[in-house]
Amino acid sequence: MKKNNYFFLALLFCQLVGAQNTSVEKSIYSIETGILGVWVNNEHRLSNEISLKSEFGMIAGFRGCSDCETQYALAPEFTLEPRWYYNIEKRETKGKIIKNNSANFATLSFRYYPDWFVISNIPNTHIQNQITIIPKWGIKRTIFNSNFNYELGIGIGKIYYIDSSQWDTTADLTIRIGYTFKRK
């Protein structure tokens, strides 16, 4: 009977030790593209399940009407997202890929859209200086155990127009494909 108890304790200990080694990547650099933009980012581990994603990108916008020329614009965007990968350990115990932080996550996204410059087909186009704060849920998955990945996310939050001091409600729908350059 004592041998069985020692065996089960050893199994439990091995399970706990293995679970403690599961964590997000120490630091990864990647580039992502989506329907309306391109971004360069870094995810830095803060704890076993939490990382901080920082990124710079160019986000696109389009506007058209039946009797006018279609307008397009590209503007800079800065993002900080502390991410909680809440099921990374569960994915590893099931033998699923966790490379490049492939797991479900919850985040509070902070984005800043400065009116520094706008690339557009209409001269003298500007955007409003704005900040968004959006709680989001998302998934990130590695494609075929390669350095390619995809990311999907959704959230509803607030947008603050700095110049006019106004708050409004906004939504975020993320659909991106990316490539990870460097992992530590």
Side-chain angles (χ1 to χ4, degrees), residues 61-64 68-74 117-127:
F62 297 92
R63 181 172 66 180
C68 67
E69 180 182 357
T70 300
Q71 300 175 0
Y72 69 85
L74 284 168
F117 64 91
V118 176
I119 301 168
S120 176
N121 63 333
I122 306 298
N124 300 320
T125 301
H126 295 277
I127 63 166

Side-chain angles (χ1 to χ4, degrees), residues 93-138:
T93 58
K94 288 184 172 186
K96 295 186 177 181
I97 298 169
I98 63 167
K99 177 181 175 181
N100 298 332
N101 300 341
S102 292
N104 298 2
F105 63 87
T107 186
L108 186 60
S109 177
F110 299 92
R111 290 196 173 146
Y112 173 51
Y113 303 90
D115 186 20
W116 292 346
F117 64 91
V118 176
I119 301 168
S120 176
N121 63 333
I122 306 298
N124 300 320
T125 301
H126 295 277
I127 63 166
Q128 291 189 44
N129 286 310
Q130 52 194 285
I131 297 171
T132 63
I133 303 169
I134 304 174
K136 283 179 20 180
W137 173 86

Side-chain angles (χ1 to χ4, degrees), residues 1-2 5 24 86 110 145 167 177:
M1 186 67 168
K2 284 185 178 183
N5 288 340
V24 297
Y86 60 87
F110 299 92
N145 204 17
W167 285 95
I177 293 178

